[in-house]
Amino acid sequence: MKPSCWKRLAANLETGLAMINVLFFGRLGDFATQVPSTIEASTPAEIRELLAADFPELVRELNQPQVLVSVNKMIVGWDQPLFDGGEVAFLPPVTGG
């Protein structure tokens, strides 16, 4: 790693924030067309809070109890700690048979 990367990592550890790649699947993607692909946050719940001001319709959908959150391809809770370079995916309810 370059020294600047170490500084950024240290700053993220101090603040608890990480640069996260964000994905929205299914109909959530329709509400997220203008959302940046990376967001600085410490938990998925914080990502949702950060989106509230600019994307209220998306956040209304994310607040549905059936929406799942995945961190690095594992289903987790909304309070899961995030680490720099991680991936958060928001998954809508799925039906089928």
Side-chain angles (χ1 to χ4, degrees), residues 13-87:
L13 290 174
E14 286 179 21
T15 63
L17 299 177
M19 191 57 83
I20 303 300
N21 297 315
V22 184
L23 303 169
F24 298 90
F25 288 94
R27 74 169 195 257
L28 297 175
D30 296 337
F31 293 96
T33 58
Q34 300 298 312
V35 173
S37 61
T38 58
I39 294 179
E40 197 170 34
S42 60
T43 65
E46 185 178 8
I47 293 173
R48 184 174 54 190
E49 291 168 20
L50 291 169
L51 296 173
D54 294 326
F55 306 98
E57 294 158 355
L58 171 61
V59 171
R60 193 170 20 260
E61 293 295 317
L62 292 176
N63 283 330
Q64 296 298 314
Q66 305 90 342
V67 171
L68 298 175
V69 63
S70 165
V71 173
N72 298 326
K73 299 183 172 132
M74 293 182 61
I75 303 298
V76 297
W78 286 89
D79 59 348
Q80 176 72 30
L82 302 175
F83 298 97
D84 206 37
E87 176 184 271

Side-chain angles (χ1 to χ4, degrees), residues 4-15:
S4 62
C5 294
W6 284 109
K7 289 179 186 176
R8 183 169 173 214
L9 178 60
N12 285 345
L13 290 174
E14 286 179 21
T15 63

